[in-house]
Amino acid sequence: MSDEPCCDVAHLGHVEIFTNKPEESLDFFVNVYGLTESGREGDSVYLRAFDDYEYHTLKLTASDTTGVGHIGYRCSSKAALERRVAVIEEMGCGKGWIDGDLGHGRAYQFTDPDGHLFELYYDTREYTAPADEQPALKNIAQRYHGRGVCVRRIDHLNLLARDVSAIREFMTKALGSRVTELIQLDNGRLGGCWFTVNNKSYDIAYTEDHANAQGRFHHVTYAVDQREDVLRAADIFLENGVFIETGPHKHAIQGTFFLYVYEPAGNRVEVANAGARLILRPDWKPVIWTEKERKKGQAWGLQTIASFHTHGTPQVGAD
Amino acid sequence: MSDEPCCDVAHLGHVEIFTNKPEESLDFFVNVYGLTESGREGDSVYLRAFDDYEYHTLKLTASDTTGVGHIGYRCSSKAALERRVAVIEEMGCGKGWIDGDLGHGRAYQFTDPDGHLFELYYDTREYTAPADEQPALKNIAQRYHGRGVCVRRIDHLNLLARDVSAIREFMTKALGSRVTELIQLDNGRLGGCWFTVNNKSYDIAYTEDHANAQGRFHHVTYAVDQREDVLRAADIFLENGVFIETGPHKHAIQGTFFLYVYEPAGNRVEVANAGARLILRPDWKPVIWTEKERKKGQAWGLQTIASFHTHGTPQVGAD
Amino acid sequence: MSDEPCCDVAHLGHVEIFTNKPEESLDFFVNVYGLTESGREGDSVYLRAFDDYEYHTLKLTASDTTGVGHIGYRCSSKAALERRVAVIEEMGCGKGWIDGDLGHGRAYQFTDPDGHLFELYYDTREYTAPADEQPALKNIAQRYHGRGVCVRRIDHLNLLARDVSAIREFMTKALGSRVTELIQLDNGRLGGCWFTVNNKSYDIAYTEDHANAQGRFHHVTYAVDQREDVLRAADIFLENGVFIETGPHKHAIQGTFFLYVYEPAGNRVEVANAGARLILRPDWKPVIWTEKERKKGQAWGLQTIASFHTHGTPQVGAD
Amino acid sequence: MSDEPCCDVAHLGHVEIFTNKPEESLDFFVNVYGLTESGREGDSVYLRAFDDYEYHTLKLTASDTTGVGHIGYRCSSKAALERRVAVIEEMGCGKGWIDGDLGHGRAYQFTDPDGHLFELYYDTREYTAPADEQPALKNIAQRYHGRGVCVRRIDHLNLLARDVSAIREFMTKALGSRVTELIQLDNGRLGGCWFTVNNKSYDIAYTEDHANAQGRFHHVTYAVDQREDVLRAADIFLENGVFIETGPHKHAIQGTFFLYVYEPAGNRVEVANAGARLILRPDWKPVIWTEKERKKGQAWGLQTIASFHTHGTPQVGAD
């Protein structure tokens, strides 16, 4: 691998999640979480946060199951997209080109070793604010509407996988992602791995799935501007009967301030704030956490709740 | 110019500023602003914020004048550095290679059209925390010491220049920077221009110098994690007799929450928070502000104080 | 006057303001400011913040004018009310008993030297949350609905008066209020005076009216829990086209963090946070500010905007 | 009991705690917690927060044990003090008058049913800031020094008692305190009871001691202005090796945002923020929490850590 950071992939574009309670999930995402609907087609509703520039960052699809449908990353340019496609095809993970959807143009599909479906694209559809959503200041995509948690933008997602080491090999090669932090288990396996394609500390993380399943989903996260927004979100979730799984607290890993809830269909959703922390260093070396260090709990000592290690979607067994 | 974003330059590395009150300036930066001294050599003290990974991000040099000494940017790799040097040499702006200093290895010097001195480097010296500065959590460079404003990392600088349009041409070519926002004056000139080499909304800005001078300095900024940290900083500055020029308030341009003060030698210093706003879009189009829009003042209507348009260092005339 | 603090008056109860744009004002207070309607009768709508326990704290009355209708204070007990009435009657300021309204029982009316109308009561009507406004936690009056600024409770009001010294004599005697801070002008007059009946730093303030008028209104204020809520309020006001007069900033007097806007009829409204500052000291001596000190501006140097000294409701002349 | 709120006691004055690690405890309170030393005498150091107006609010006494020494409340006036003394003497709980100490004048001592030692006083010694502690703004007692957590003022304490019902009877009568919230256990006993003498939601709380002991101490709390200050405090404690027991999180009871740590001698100390919530209502009815409701955990679901129910000082057994 080159010693030069790869810039072919610009940012996490969107996440498609399945819901078997489409009306309740939509109400959660729009009225409680604070996303805005751009449009809908077939079984899917296209949603985004107020400062997401694309037509959508969340594709909410009605289904008889839950979990993740696919993950889309936007490339830096047409040429960058072609470069990535060539690499992925050579890796043997590619599925081929598809036409886009309401949200973006043609995209190249591929799967990770655990069976999660990804796509890369460059041609996207921009969000154009209608008159009643025009921002007072022109440098944000939509007005700060203040509805619900009013998250600012999509931040990252976390997927469950049976072999995180295999994921590490795959992700760094296929997307050219950098590993920012990881959990090294005593048994030699990776308990978790955090990746970034840009200066955000991570846009995707994988954690080891202990269930006998594959392709499962841990959570999707949108970012708010201040930690106080996360605290405020807790009260909004509480008053709206949303199940708060854990938080607010600060992660030891990455230091982000988090709050995890379950949306009505059971998919885990997070609200987070990373402060001013960015990975600007080009030769960043992954931070390695040992099992012993993980036992200390989160940054200020909160023990990670058991369900955080077991609950994923689709649910498996008593999870 | 290629339609592909340039990734050769990773991030703003450091800023050297001149002080004709070295003891007072050092006391300000260490005890009030919250930087930590890494070392000193000759007339210079090398300082950094608690999560700056490099040996220094601020080089404070005793002098009989004030203003900026030089600005250093770190490249993504040795090869990226070579590519930039080739471009700059061809532009005719290069001054040549120099040995590094306490903070970094060999660097290539060049000047912008207004005479500000820059350098590009890749080989850097990493900060290694001594025992009493070790962080409790290993993913930050130094413990959160809590002293003074306790800024997290260097964020950006702002230079004054007589011809911001010439700067725009230069910066986009020499560093491969992207323009994120700019002020278009009625007279066709640029009043200000904001540039980034990565996902931060800006790492350098230039504003038109109305004084008959060149190579002047407007301000340097470090970032804090929360807007409440900026408010707290205001009380810390107040109690420490630091001159608060303007703020706290929110800029219309870039939307950052700011607070400007003068350090003892008169150089303007800022504390800022950008929330979760980043420029992740690869094909971001510069936001253009007109003179009419600028007259509205800052985000919530604060009129920009007159000194913000005139005061720079070194001071000129009655500025 | 006794050296014992007077406890007869428990807290500021409600403020009635006149609006000549009743629909727009109501929309502002409910959807932008975040008050909830308890009911309406005649020309008045009864509003309160989510943690106000009484039926209303703001009585919004449609009128052909603007400004304040009356100010209501709740007494600590029936006996305390009787004591106050006796004192006020003896002062010659009483107007007599009235039946209550939708919000409270019988009340005793009186006027201050500038002609503002006050009432004292004890029997009040409690707010009972309907099913869809029930809080998740039983120790707040209504759920944290998160709508608009979502202020927590009424905090204080500020009235304009021609002779603040006369007001000082009156208020300390009639309500048994304590003076917490005041502005002593060079000409011997009081520029402003802040009063409290309890531990809040103030529930009413008077500032000298420079217009040839009496009985005018400066502003009413509701409190939010955090300074970040005030910053958030600024964005909500901005996006909703509300005129922001000044702020956010911190007052030198009282140290409260403020933001002033005009509601659609022109009455000035504030959002404020006082942190953990309370006047618990029983023998608190008023803090006296001189004209010279006031010239320094607000806490961090913001010069008080001219309109803050002239604009009041009803408007007079070019104010 | 009269239906009029009692105003004889103005506020919690100070708490004396015993430490068997006086140097470490002093370092914690001054350098980490952010209190300032006013003076020392004998085995005691007199400390206060930056906006405490009295000479001290914490008396730190070197001893061979830990826990609480005594609790002092300041009365509203000399006459109020005499009234309280008369009531307490008639209750048979009085111990008699003592001369004051460095911090205050003559005081009347008494004990609660569990044996905790209290004193009431009126004559106090005011804190006078030396030149280097003068505040920039005259309405706070001392400059905002910014050291450590930099708590603003004493807030409350929590004592362990074997019979909280007996405490309730005692406290409401002896101090004229109001009960704001309480925990009603299924067995008919009170699990906890929160009292206030003024508008703060509580200045003292008692929780049932499950150990075979009496006169034990649960915690003392100082208030900070913002919830972000509590989050910041967590990082300061973490970096200073202070044991964080639980938090940050929001209590269901009283809704305060909390963080509990152990100072070096094992006494529990809290940092808290209550937002704008005050008990202004004169006829406030206690909020009653059932055991079933308490099982839900804290406001956002955090289960109360076991040690919170068992650890007190002096420590008993394996506590």
Side-chain angles (χ1 to χ4, degrees), chain A residues 4 7 74 77 83 126 138-139 153 181 198-199 225-227 252 254 273 276 281 283 288 293, chain B residues 4 7 74 77 83 126 138-139 153 198-199 225-227 252 254 273 276 281 283 288 293:
Chain A
E4 300 222 57
C7 304
R74 190 175 187 216
S77 65
R83 283 193 295 269
E126 199 172 353
K138 59 167 69 172
N139 52 12
R153 58 160 177 78
E181 307 202 13
N198 52 34
N199 297 131
D225 287 325
Q226 308 294 318
R227 295 203 288 197
Q254 304 286 8
N273 178 264
R281 176 172 195 166
D283 53 343
I288 300 172
E293 287 165 337
Chain B
E4 300 222 57
C7 304
R74 189 174 187 216
S77 65
R83 282 193 296 271
E126 200 173 351
K138 60 167 69 171
N139 51 13
R153 58 161 176 77
N198 52 35
N199 298 129
D225 286 324
Q226 308 295 317
R227 294 203 289 197
Q254 304 285 8
N273 178 266
R281 175 172 195 169
D283 52 344
I288 301 173
E293 286 167 337

Side-chain angles (χ1 to χ4, degrees), chain D residues 64-84:
Chain D
D64 55 5
T65 187
T66 57
V68 60
H70 75 278
I71 302 102
Y73 274 83
R74 189 173 186 216
C75 288
S76 309
S77 65
K78 281 198 204 308
L81 173 56
E82 298 299 327
R83 283 193 296 270
R84 286 295 109 207

Side-chain angles (χ1 to χ4, degrees), chain C:
Chain C
M1 190 190 319
S2 156
D3 69 336
E4 299 221 58
C6 175
C7 304
D8 287 345
V9 184
H11 62 83
L12 172 66
H14 54 271
V15 177
E16 174 182 31
I17 67 175
F18 294 129
T19 169
N20 52 15
K21 295 184 179 178
E23 281 182 37
E24 293 106 306
S25 295
L26 182 61
D27 174 68
F28 166 84
F29 280 112
V30 170
N31 295 316
V32 182
Y33 204 60
L35 301 185
T36 300
E37 180 177 333
S38 283
R40 50 179 80 187
E41 186 178 70
D43 292 320
S44 303
V45 181
Y46 292 70
L47 304 161
R48 46 171 287 293
F50 81 88
D51 204 22
D52 282 325
Y53 76 94
E54 291 184 282
Y55 185 79
H56 83 302
T57 49
L58 187 70
K59 187 174 182 178
L60 187 64
T61 300
S63 170
D64 55 5
T65 188
T66 58
V68 61
H70 76 278
I71 302 103
Y73 274 83
R74 190 176 185 213
C75 287
S76 308
S77 65
K78 281 196 205 307
L81 173 57
E82 297 300 327
R83 283 193 296 269
R84 287 296 109 206
V85 169
V87 168
I88 293 165
E89 273 182 345
E90 206 196 307
M91 290 168 68
C93 312
K95 293 192 66 171
W97 289 96
I98 58 166
D99 290 337
D101 58 11
L102 273 195
H104 58 86
R106 67 192 289 263
Y108 185 79
Q109 283 188 330
F110 62 97
T111 54
D112 71 15
D114 206 69
H116 300 96
L117 181 62
F118 285 78
E119 67 190 23
L120 291 178
Y121 64 96
Y122 175 70
D123 289 328
T124 190
R125 179 175 178 179
E126 200 172 350
Y127 169 75
T128 314
D132 59 350
E133 291 296 341
Q134 286 284 335
L137 296 168
K138 59 168 69 172
N139 52 12
I140 54 177
Q142 172 191 6
R143 71 184 184 108
Y144 176 78
H145 53 73
R147 184 180 62 254
V149 176
C150 202
V151 288
R152 178 184 276 268
R153 58 161 176 77
I154 191 164
D155 193 76
H156 70 271
L157 77 153
N158 184 316
L159 301 175
L160 293 167
R162 287 162 306 162
D163 185 345
V164 178
S165 291
I167 293 292
R168 179 186 187 175
E169 264 229 49
F170 169 82
M171 195 51 67
T172 51
K173 193 162 183 184
L175 294 199
S177 299
R178 294 189 289 168
V179 172
T180 51
E181 309 201 12
L182 63 85
I183 299 173
Q184 184 71 62
L185 300 175
D186 294 343
N187 61 15
R189 299 172 65 80
L190 290 191
C193 199
W194 283 256
F195 304 89
T196 184
V197 291
N198 53 34
N199 299 130
K200 288 176 66 297
S201 44
Y202 55 114
D203 46 74
I204 192 165
Y206 281 81
T207 35
E208 193 169 45
D209 199 346
H210 304 292
N212 186 21
Q214 63 182 96
R216 297 213 301 156
F217 177 77
H218 196 270
H219 68 265
V220 65
T221 307
Y222 280 71
V224 285
D225 287 324
Q226 309 293 318
R227 295 203 289 198
E228 177 55 38
D229 292 327
V230 179
L231 300 181
R232 188 173 161 269
D235 274 332
I236 289 172
F237 289 136
L238 180 68
E239 297 291 14
N240 283 277
V242 174
F243 174 69
I244 297 174
E245 182 189 42
T246 186
H249 200 86
K250 174 170 145 170
H251 279 304
I253 296 177
Q254 305 286 8
T256 42
F257 192 66
F258 67 84
L259 174 62
Y260 293 96
V261 301
Y262 297 173
E263 58 91 13
N267 293 302
R268 182 186 285 102
V269 178
E270 180 190 9
V271 177
N273 177 266
R277 185 168 184 267
L278 292 169
I279 307 301
L280 303 176
R281 176 173 194 166
D283 53 343
W284 176 270
K285 288 170 191 40
V287 177
I288 300 172
W289 299 87
T290 64
E291 254 191 84
K292 180 177 169 184
E293 286 166 336
R294 296 308 300 125
K295 282 189 165 56
K296 288 188 194 175
Q298 296 302 331
W300 303 316
L302 179 69
Q303 284 302 317
T304 307
I305 202 170
S307 60
F308 199 75
H309 294 303
T310 57
H311 178 76
T313 42
Q315 283 188 245
V316 169
D319 156 27

